[in-house]
Amino acid sequence: MKLIKAIGLVFLTWLSCSASAKTDTAAHLFSRSAEFSQVKISPAGDYLSAITSKDGKNMLLILDAATKKAVHVVFFDGNAQVGHYEWVNDERVVLQKEYLKGWSDHPLYYGELMAVNADGSKETYLFGYQGGQQVGSNIKRNTAIRATAYILDPMPEDDRFMLVQALPWGNGGSNMAENTQKVYRVDVYKGKRRKVAGAPIPYANFLTDHDGNVRFVSGTRDYVNTELFYREDREWVNTDKLNLNLDAMTPIAFSDDENSVYVTANESGKPSGVYLINIKTGDKKLVSQDKVVNPSNVWINQTTKKLYAVEYENGYPEYEFVAPKDPSATYVKQLLGALPGYQIHLVSQTVDAKKMIIKAFNDRTPGKYYLFDTEKLNLEFLVSQKSWIDSNKMAEIKPISFTSRDGLKIHGYLTLPHGKEAKDLPLVVNPHGGPHGPRDWWGFDSQNQMIASQGAAVLQVNFRGSGGYGTAFENAGHQKWGTEIQYDIIDATKYVIDQGIADKDRICIVGGSFGGYSAIQSATIEPDLFKCALGFAGVYDLQLMFDKGDVQGRKAGKRYLKEVLGEDEGVLKAMSPTHNIDKLKANIMLVHGGEDERAPIEQFEALEEALQKHKYPFKKLVMDDEGHGFYDDAHRAKYYNEMLGFLKENLKL
């Protein structure tokens, strides 16, 4: 059955966000944040909503679904802005209140939840540390609580209540994140709350059933190993007693059997799959698994809370429909057919599933939002995330794979500049951060598209240690940060050269966070391979990670560092660029934020001092009021402009 496409536009004449503004240079074009995000529909379908921005601050826009006219705008005074939000019933939204601080790179969230009706009435300070205060505000406030709140389950079918998970502050300090979280049932109008559960383990991931009962929770004590608990007689029971022989279990959905739950987990180091486990019998059944990669997403029917599809990305994204007759599975198949070349995500829907918000995206398109009528099979275009991006001029991203020097299969992506033959191209290698947990994906990447727009190819490598390829692959990068991981990056570069795609005399490497470390470290290992290396927010002295930064400030973080880096000072020095300046030949540029907590400014200063001691020339850009990644569009544009100048000079673009 074909879908009827009815194209429509939302014209917001009062919103001054001209798509043509500041697009005179590539740096400005690709540094701009999305115009629209978090596009949603209310439970009964009466309202549409989205996050947009005005004067540099995020606000919540609520529209009449039929007329597309603005009904209300939530916009905070001062330095506050709207963060994540959810519809909790058809007339009411609950939202996070964030703060923009000059000394912080990202908005700060102190755990405050606000509630308001779609028409702007019944504003309530729902949850947070300022509850009970009435200073200078007419907003109703409930009892204060020193905790950071997150919406766990909006329970849209319950007009009165929602579930909130909260991280208690305790006495504060750097270990606050390891406090065990609590779940509260909260009145969405008055803010009255009742505790319903507490987590038995830090970094909790709760699963609630269709009735709002908290039934499962997983968590970790060291960022590496995960434990899963289930609720029995109001007590948490560790699934270790079931002898399932599964690692990293995370609950995702319930089955028809109340004693069975779907989990993502891995077995014997293989890529994770989806298993159905029975907490009474200890039986387990493998439901879905890819031979190469972990699930990238699991898709749950928002009406029934039942699993219908598992998404994998071994190269291009694809679905495995584990419940092919589920209505949501049918909708996704129809939409994939109606929008060929796009990946489809169902992001919001009415309670009766008659209307849905979908997001369509691909490697050349950041994202487009549509309103989908599941009865009339009508697809109505709403807004683009970045309307100024011309997808017809963007670069294609192709999956690649090769065999490393020690025989390990490595995967990655190659961005090829639009309109150019894939032959003897200048190349920018872009290793990702992490290194453990993150991986690179197929999709639109602003920085890589910007570089490709200047005629260079971009290489991304999912080196050993990356997440998403099973625990054995990830663990293979432990204590190999400066050796085997870098060999994978170097071997990938040589593979692209050998394929005739890249010009061996025009290669640079640019990365952020761990990628910034990799940029400089790879340039010390293969000094003749890279003409230039740019490190952004990198760690350059591995020993320093045990003394500075937000990772070592937590017990789990210290255990993590010992696990993934080891404690051999000789090895750590050998893998640290600060101690290997004499091996460098590439032109160097360093970019850092003065308020970076993950890779603190001391990391930059250590490498700067080492370079100066060796009288090694380098360029630098330090933003004192930015952190681990530049949040401000203007700061990002300045960085992109400096980067492009550096690359053009070295690659002769």
Side-chain angles (χ1 to χ4, degrees):
M1 183 180 296
K2 293 185 178 179
L3 293 172
I4 303 170
K5 295 187 197 176
I7 304 300
L9 283 173
V10 178
F11 290 102
L12 305 174
T13 55
W14 55 273
L15 187 61
S16 58
C17 52
S18 170
S20 61
K22 294 186 178 180
T23 57
D24 52 328
T25 67
H28 282 117
L29 179 71
F30 291 101
S31 63
R32 292 182 61 195
S33 300
E35 282 181 296
F36 297 98
S37 62
Q38 297 190 55
V39 179
K40 298 179 182 181
I41 190 168
S42 63
D46 296 328
Y47 304 102
L48 299 174
S49 56
I51 295 293
T52 186
S53 64
K54 186 177 178 64
D55 300 329
K57 296 197 308 180
N58 286 346
M59 60 184 183
L60 175 62
L61 172 65
I62 300 176
L63 305 173
D64 181 282
T67 65
K68 309 299 189 296
K69 292 182 179 179
V71 175
H72 183 61
V73 177
V74 181
F75 183 78
F76 291 115
D77 293 331
N79 65 338
Q81 70 169 17
V82 178
H84 177 74
Y85 76 95
E86 294 283 357
W87 286 94
V88 294
N89 59 43
D90 193 53
E91 69 170 5
R92 197 158 181 80
V93 292
V94 173
L95 53 93
Q96 295 180 354
K97 185 178 183 181
E98 301 176 339
Y99 295 89
L100 297 170
K101 301 285 189 179
W103 46 267
S104 176
D105 64 318
H106 284 76
L108 299 177
Y109 180 55
Y110 300 120
E112 298 173 283
L113 295 178
M114 315 291 289
V116 64
N117 282 358
D119 62 3
S121 64
K122 298 183 180 179
E123 292 179 324
T124 305
Y125 187 98
L126 206 65
F127 197 105
Y129 72 101
Q130 295 191 74
Q133 301 179 28
Q134 286 293 137
V135 180
S137 173
N138 293 321
I139 297 176
K140 295 179 181 179
R141 297 169 183 266
N142 65 298
T143 307
I145 180 170
R146 289 173 51 81
T148 301
Y150 301 94
I151 301 170
L152 172 61
D153 190 339
M155 298 170 59
E157 293 178 311
D158 188 321
D159 289 338
R160 196 78 200 183
F161 295 98
M162 65 180 292
L163 291 181
V164 168
Q165 68 180 84
L167 176 66
W169 292 355
N171 296 321
S174 59
N175 286 325
M176 186 184 77
E178 295 181 292
N179 294 341
T180 53
Q181 297 187 35
K182 296 176 174 58
V183 178
Y184 295 90
R185 181 180 172 89
V186 178
D187 186 312
V188 300
Y189 290 95
K190 297 182 178 180
K192 292 183 178 180
R193 59 183 178 267
R194 176 174 61 86
K195 179 186 168 185
V196 296
I201 190 170
Y203 304 102
N205 179 34
F206 295 98
L207 179 66
T208 62
D209 63 20
H210 198 273
D211 297 319
N213 299 310
V214 183
R215 298 266 306 280
F216 286 85
V217 63
S218 63
T220 182
R221 304 179 198 276
D222 59 6
Y223 303 154
V224 177
N225 301 293
T226 303
E227 297 177 53
L228 175 67
F229 297 80
Y230 63 90
R231 197 86 161 157
E232 186 174 73
D233 297 329
R234 304 186 70 179
E235 298 291 334
W236 289 113
V237 180
N238 197 317
T239 55
D240 283 352
K241 73 171 193 140
L242 299 176
N243 297 316
L244 294 166
N245 295 317
L246 295 174
D247 298 316
M249 284 191 289
T250 301
I252 55 174
F254 294 98
S255 73
D256 293 328
D257 179 357
E258 66 175 12
N259 293 319
S260 295
V261 63
Y262 290 97
V263 301
T264 56
N266 63 68
E267 198 169 7
S268 304
K270 298 176 183 176
S272 295
V274 174
Y275 292 81
L276 181 63
I277 63 171
N278 187 298
I279 59 174
K280 293 297 183 183
T281 65
D283 292 336
K284 66 181 179 184
K285 176 185 177 183
L286 179 62
V287 176
S288 176
Q289 186 178 43
D290 186 84
K291 293 181 179 179
V292 178
V293 293
N294 300 343
S296 56
N297 281 300
V298 290
W299 292 99
I300 312 299
N301 184 310
Q302 294 182 32
T303 302
T304 64
K305 288 200 172 184
K306 298 296 176 60
L307 175 71
Y308 69 87
V310 184
E311 190 176 351
Y312 295 99
E313 193 166 317
N314 180 17
Y316 299 109
E318 59 183 20
Y319 288 104
E320 180 179 351
F321 294 99
V322 297
K325 295 183 179 180
D326 186 282
S328 292
T330 300
Y331 302 146
V332 170
K333 293 174 187 176
Q334 291 173 332
L335 291 163
L336 288 170
L339 296 170
Y342 288 89
Q343 181 66 345
I344 302 298
H345 286 173
L346 308 181
V347 296
S348 179
Q349 68 177 54
T350 56
V351 170
D352 60 13
K354 290 182 179 180
K355 291 186 178 180
M356 297 181 171
I357 301 295
I358 72 158
K359 180 181 177 182
F361 64 95
N362 58 25
D363 53 343
R364 304 182 188 198
T365 308
K368 298 178 181 180
Y369 290 100
Y370 294 83
L371 177 61
F372 177 42
D373 188 314
T374 62
E375 290 188 317
K376 298 178 181 179
L377 294 183
N378 185 65
L379 193 62
E380 179 185 359
F381 172 73
L382 294 175
V383 291
S384 293
Q385 282 189 289
K386 299 185 177 184
S387 60
W388 58 91
I389 295 293
D390 185 349
S391 59
N392 294 319
K393 297 179 180 179
M394 295 298 105
E396 179 185 7
I397 300 178
K398 288 187 173 182
I400 64 167
S401 61
F402 66 96
T403 303
S404 68
R405 64 186 68 184
D406 61 356
L408 190 61
K409 187 74 169 290
I410 305 294
H411 301 267
Y413 294 93
L414 192 60
T415 301
L416 297 171
H418 176 68
K420 285 187 173 289
E421 183 182 1
K423 183 178 180 181
D424 293 329
L425 294 169
L427 177 70
V428 175
V429 183
N430 179 212
H432 66 70
H436 310 301
R439 56 156 288 191
D440 285 318
W441 308 89
W442 179 84
F444 187 90
D445 183 286
S446 292
Q447 178 178 297
N448 291 346
Q449 288 287 351
M450 178 187 68
I451 294 171
S453 73
Q454 306 303 301
V458 182
L459 172 64
Q460 297 170 280
V461 188
N462 283 325
F463 42 75
R464 74 190 69 198
S466 301
Y469 291 84
T471 54
F473 186 86
E474 185 168 338
N475 292 346
H478 287 183
Q479 303 186 26
K480 306 293 183 182
W481 284 26
T483 51
E484 274 84 346
I485 287 180
Q486 306 308 317
Y487 301 158
D488 290 344
I489 296 169
I490 291 165
D491 290 351
T493 306
K494 292 180 177 179
Y495 168 80
V496 175
I497 294 172
D498 292 342
Q499 296 299 305
I501 298 171
D503 179 350
K504 65 179 179 62
D505 296 320
R506 291 194 293 167
I507 311 288
C508 281
I509 182 167
V510 174
S513 192
F514 178 83
Y517 161 78
S518 292
I520 309 302
Q521 179 66 6
S522 282
T524 66
I525 296 173
E526 285 281 351
D528 295 316
L529 183 61
F530 302 104
K531 291 295 181 185
C532 70
L534 188 155
F536 176 88
V539 293
Y540 307 114
D541 188 324
L542 299 186
Q543 286 178 291
L544 198 58
M545 290 191 71
F546 288 90
D547 300 314
K548 300 290 184 179
D550 62 352
V551 177
Q552 56 82 34
R554 302 172 182 173
K555 294 178 181 178
K558 290 180 179 178
R559 290 192 289 266
Y560 170 80
L561 290 175
K562 291 177 181 179
E563 173 75 19
V564 302
L565 282 177
E567 299 179 86
D568 188 310
E569 291 187 9
V571 172
L572 294 176
K573 282 187 176 181
M575 294 194 301
S576 297
T578 51
H579 298 284
N580 292 279
I581 304 300
D582 57 317
K583 299 175 183 176
L584 280 172
K585 291 184 180 180
N587 292 322
I588 300 296
M589 181 174 181
L590 302 177
V591 181
H592 223 91
E595 297 294 334
D596 195 335
E597 295 183 357
R598 181 58 45 87
I601 192 66
E602 286 87 349
Q603 289 282 355
F604 163 83
E605 291 169 345
L607 184 54
E608 179 184 43
E609 182 180 349
L611 289 166
Q612 291 173 340
K613 183 177 180 180
H614 285 76
K615 297 181 179 180
Y616 198 100
F618 65 100
K619 293 184 176 182
K620 67 178 181 178
L621 173 64
V622 177
M623 293 283 191
D624 291 334
D625 55 351
E626 285 283 6
H628 200 63
F630 289 179
Y631 177 79
D632 183 83
D633 286 4
H635 290 175
R636 196 181 310 113
K638 182 176 182 179
Y639 162 51
Y640 279 178
N641 194 55
E642 295 278 343
M643 176 205 295
L644 286 181
F646 184 64
L647 293 175
K648 287 178 179 179
E649 178 184 347
N650 285 279
L651 297 179
K652 298 179 174 59
L653 298 177

